[in-house]
Amino acid sequence: MYKIEELSKIYVMGRVRVKALDAVSFLIPDGEMLGLAGRSGSGKSTLLKQIGLLDRPTSGRVFFGDREVTRLTEGKRAQLRLQYLGYVFQEYALLGELTAHQNVYLPGMMLGRKNIDYKQRAKELLGMVGLADRIRHYPKELSGGEQQRVAIARALINSPRLLLADEPCANLDTVSGKFVMETLFKLNRELKVTVIFVSHDPVDRQYGRRTIILSDGNISEDIYLT
Ligand SMILES: Nc1ncnc2c1ncn2[C@@H]1O[C@H](COP(=O)(O)OP(=O)(O)O)[C@@H](O)[C@H]1O
Ligand SMILES: [Mg+2]
């Protein structure tokens, strides 16, 4: 269970203050597949960064289970990011000089868990995202959709509890985008990983069990699909 409590973020740039999140509160049960929607500038990425421990709030708190994570030291937050969270961004952010396989297992190597064959796990994950025959390819030898699926496999290498995807299909054509969304959907079902994804394509809402719509840093709608 994740708890977002009265979360606010004000960006200050010189004399300009932007209230990107305005005392937002909600709960996310484990295993949820949650879509975040809303106009450009409504605070979606800001909210995802707060839940993903990539930035700190101006006020309010985020809980992972019983643990309040907003005020942990940077070292503890870095550890949680590596062990507990997976990220997929709009731009795939793969390392060009590494193969698909190496890109996927790198965060496993960084975590350095004993007794886990991360190279084997990376192969399995590439199989799960439909790229078993592409493991020796370099990013430039892959389509955008394939690169994004490598990025999803990489996000999963340390078995995160929570996967955050910020407009993962924004740079993809419709068919590749659909395949990426279906991949996230399948991972949510099969690996029971909690997924929060941002999309402004209403078609993607079908993949979530729930959609939260943000408007000027507030929740304007919280919709459950039945
Ligand atoms: N690092 C930043 N510094 C200053 N303002 C920012 C920063 N990031 C986002 N903003 C502003 O905060 C608001 C919300 O941005 P964002 O969360 O990126 O929206 P969305 O992802 O919904 O498009 C926007 O007005 C944006 O311009
Ligand atoms: Mg955004």
Side-chain angles (χ1 to χ4, degrees):
M1 171 82 83
Y2 303 87
K3 185 162 79 171
I4 317 302
E5 193 180 81
E6 298 279 312
L7 201 67
S8 292
K9 178 71 187 182
I10 297 169
Y11 293 111
V12 181
M13 296 178 75
R15 269 179 290 160
V16 181
R17 289 159 55 88
V18 177
K19 199 166 207 176
L21 286 179
D22 187 7
V24 166
S25 300
F26 61 102
L27 295 174
I28 310 165
D30 288 319
E32 182 93 280
M33 175 125 182
L34 169 67
L36 293 179
R39 283 199 346 251
S40 177
S42 57
K44 305 181 296 295
S45 295
T46 299
L47 178 56
L48 217 62
K49 276 184 220 156
Q50 293 296 332
I51 300 172
L53 312 185
L54 297 171
D55 193 14
R56 294 195 196 253
T58 305
S59 60
R61 302 189 292 178
V62 176
F63 293 84
F64 289 1
D66 295 332
R67 189 171 191 194
E68 204 234 310
V69 292
T70 24
R71 282 165 188 76
L72 295 176
T73 62
E74 201 40 51
K76 288 228 170 67
R77 281 161 61 97
Q79 192 69 13
L80 274 178
R81 285 196 292 268
L82 198 55
Q83 289 187 345
Y84 197 98
L85 297 163
Y87 306 90
V88 178
F89 300 103
Q90 186 173 324
E91 52 299 322
Y92 327 117
L94 301 176
L95 299 174
E97 62 278 24
L98 299 183
T99 63
H101 187 221
Q102 290 166 334
N103 265 287
V104 173
Y105 72 63
L106 187 66
M109 216 162 86
M110 283 165 62
L111 190 56
R113 273 189 184 136
K114 296 262 173 355
N115 307 323
I116 290 180
D117 187 348
Y118 48 81
K119 291 188 181 177
Q120 181 54 34
R121 182 67 186 142
K123 279 187 191 164
E124 288 164 14
L125 288 168
L126 281 164
M128 274 195 83
V129 300
L131 294 173
D133 55 353
R134 296 283 194 284
I135 66 172
R136 287 189 183 77
H137 285 235
Y138 288 88
K140 66 172 187 303
E141 299 163 348
L142 297 167
S143 72
E146 288 169 341
Q147 290 186 57
Q148 191 59 300
R149 284 184 281 135
V150 173
I152 293 172
R154 177 183 57 187
L156 293 168
I157 190 70
N158 290 330
S159 303
R161 299 274 300 280
L162 178 60
L163 186 73
L164 303 165
D166 196 351
E167 305 209 31
C169 308
N171 293 334
L172 301 178
D173 61 80
T174 314
V175 174
S176 312
K178 185 160 181 267
F179 199 29
V180 162
M181 286 311 300
E182 278 167 3
T183 303
L184 291 176
F185 187 73
K186 178 173 133 181
L187 298 169
N188 170 257
R189 291 300 135 99
E190 292 179 7
L191 301 179
K192 311 286 178 221
V193 51
T194 306
V195 175
I196 308 177
F197 67 93
V198 173
S199 171
H200 47 220
D201 186 347
V203 171
D204 289 338
R205 286 188 202 168
Q206 60 178 307
Y207 295 106
R209 255 186 16 86
R210 175 184 183 192
T211 304
I212 287 182
I213 301 179
L214 291 178
S215 173
D216 295 329
N218 289 287
I219 294 179
S220 62
E221 286 182 78
D222 190 348
I223 311 154
Y224 289 84
L225 295 183
T226 44

